[in-house]
Amino acid sequence: MRPEEIIPGKVVRLNELVRRVTAPNPGMMTGPGTNTYVIGSGELAIVDPGPENAAHLSAMLEAAGKRLRWILCTHTHLDHSPGARALRAATGAQVLGFGAVPDDGRQDAAFRPDRALRDGDTVDCGAFRLRAVHTPGHASNHLCYLLEQQRLLFTGDHIMQGSTVVISPPDGDMATYLKSLERLLALDLAAVAPGHGHVIEKPHDEVRRLIAHRMKREQKVIDAFASGDPATLDELLPLVYDDVPQRVHPVARRSLHAHLIKLARDGRVSELDGRWRLH
């Protein structure tokens, strides 16, 4: 059976503890929109309040209302954390997250959590508990949250359903991202609830698929030097990403840069004056 279409603003019950309401911000980078998860049956928590958007704020308030106590942000990209401010003002709920990072134009630079979380920290919500898992790579301040009772991991942009995530240097780091993916293989997970798309029921299979995909892409980077060495990012781009539409290439260029930085650290390539050379 194919998953039901994700409709912004529609509250979807995923199980007895978790509901999903998606922000009205669909697009190339966000898929159907940013997923906000409402957790609990008494006092409630929300994971990822999404962008600043009046309609989404109303949808979150309707789903959680005065029972909301905790607002958890996976990271501070502009489609995930800015909605926390208006939601906190309306409910008095506590905002939690890793904290802001240096602004690269893609960050919610005004984000200030009431409680800063680090790897392994737990949020005791009475009837349920959430554990922070630091998963840098897409963003250096990225946290996943494990709903321990259900072994359900809220992955923000660490894992998305239906596409791979963009790794944008300097805050994004490909080597760190791969290590963060590998770390999930050691966790006892039943499913992952991504920041974009549907719940993924076989999380370890998906993690292995993502690692294999990134390594295959890395090999394409190496192979592309056969057409020109040294080469610029823009010369390598159409060779490495010949399997994606050209409209995606400006975004793919960031991940290509991240692959090259990783390869340089591995001693496989070097860069001089914007031209990359294979060793």
Side-chain angles (χ1 to χ4, degrees):
M1 181 182 296
R2 297 186 64 179
E4 182 180 353
E5 179 186 2
I6 293 177
I7 300 172
K10 180 179 180 180
V11 178
V12 177
R13 180 167 289 281
L14 301 179
N15 58 48
E16 68 275 10
L17 275 182
V18 182
R19 291 169 288 156
R20 182 191 71 217
V21 56
T22 302
N25 63 332
M28 183 176 69
M29 300 288 287
T30 56
T34 302
N35 289 331
T36 294
Y37 293 99
V38 183
I39 308 164
S41 55
E43 291 187 323
L44 304 178
I46 270 180
V47 171
D48 276 348
E52 288 183 321
N53 180 278
H56 190 51
L57 175 62
S58 295
M60 290 189 290
L61 290 173
E62 184 174 348
K66 295 180 179 180
R67 293 187 293 151
L68 183 64
R69 297 291 180 270
W70 305 274
I71 304 166
L72 297 96
C73 298
T74 59
H75 63 300
T76 54
H77 283 165
L78 296 173
D79 58 325
H80 284 263
S81 65
R85 284 183 284 280
L87 189 59
R88 173 171 51 187
T91 64
Q94 184 182 41
V95 175
L96 304 95
F98 192 95
V101 297
D103 190 13
D104 59 2
R106 303 184 183 97
Q107 301 289 342
D108 176 13
F111 181 78
R112 298 291 184 274
D114 299 308
R115 177 186 169 191
L117 297 175
R118 295 298 182 263
D119 184 55
D121 287 348
T122 58
V123 183
D124 188 349
C125 303
F128 60 95
R129 192 166 80 159
L130 293 160
R131 175 157 51 96
V133 182
H134 188 211
T135 48
H138 174 71
S140 60
N141 62 358
H142 196 289
L143 296 170
C144 294
Y145 296 104
L146 180 64
L147 179 58
E148 293 184 339
Q149 287 89 330
Q150 296 186 349
R151 296 161 34 238
L152 176 64
L153 188 70
F154 300 95
T155 58
D157 279 355
H158 188 53
I159 296 175
M160 294 168 55
Q161 185 266 330
S163 68
T164 57
V165 303
V166 178
I167 309 299
S168 300
D171 189 56
D173 186 290
M174 187 64 72
T176 302
Y177 178 68
L178 288 166
K179 289 178 183 176
S180 293
L181 283 175
E182 290 169 357
R183 185 182 178 200
L184 298 189
L185 295 174
L187 297 182
D188 181 16
L189 302 177
V192 299
H196 307 276
H198 293 277
V199 169
I200 300 169
E201 300 288 352
K202 295 182 178 180
H204 291 145
D205 288 351
E206 179 65 9
V207 169
R208 292 186 186 97
R209 186 193 70 80
L210 289 171
I211 293 171
H213 173 82
R214 296 289 182 172
M215 298 313 296
K216 183 178 179 181
R217 186 73 70 187
E218 181 177 289
Q219 187 60 49
K220 287 189 73 173
V221 175
I222 294 169
D223 293 344
F225 282 98
S227 297
D229 186 358
T232 65
L233 274 172
D234 291 325
E235 289 167 344
L236 293 168
L237 182 61
L239 302 172
V240 178
Y241 288 91
D242 58 347
D243 55 339
V244 302
Q246 284 194 353
R247 62 182 176 82
V248 182
H249 281 193
V251 175
R253 189 180 189 275
R254 301 184 216 158
S255 288
L256 171 60
H257 191 197
H259 274 294
L260 287 165
I261 292 170
K262 175 185 178 296
L263 286 167
R265 290 179 189 156
D266 293 343
R268 305 290 303 278
V269 304
S270 60
E271 181 265 340
L272 180 64
D273 297 330
R275 300 187 69 80
W276 297 83
R277 182 182 296 278
L278 185 65
H279 287 184

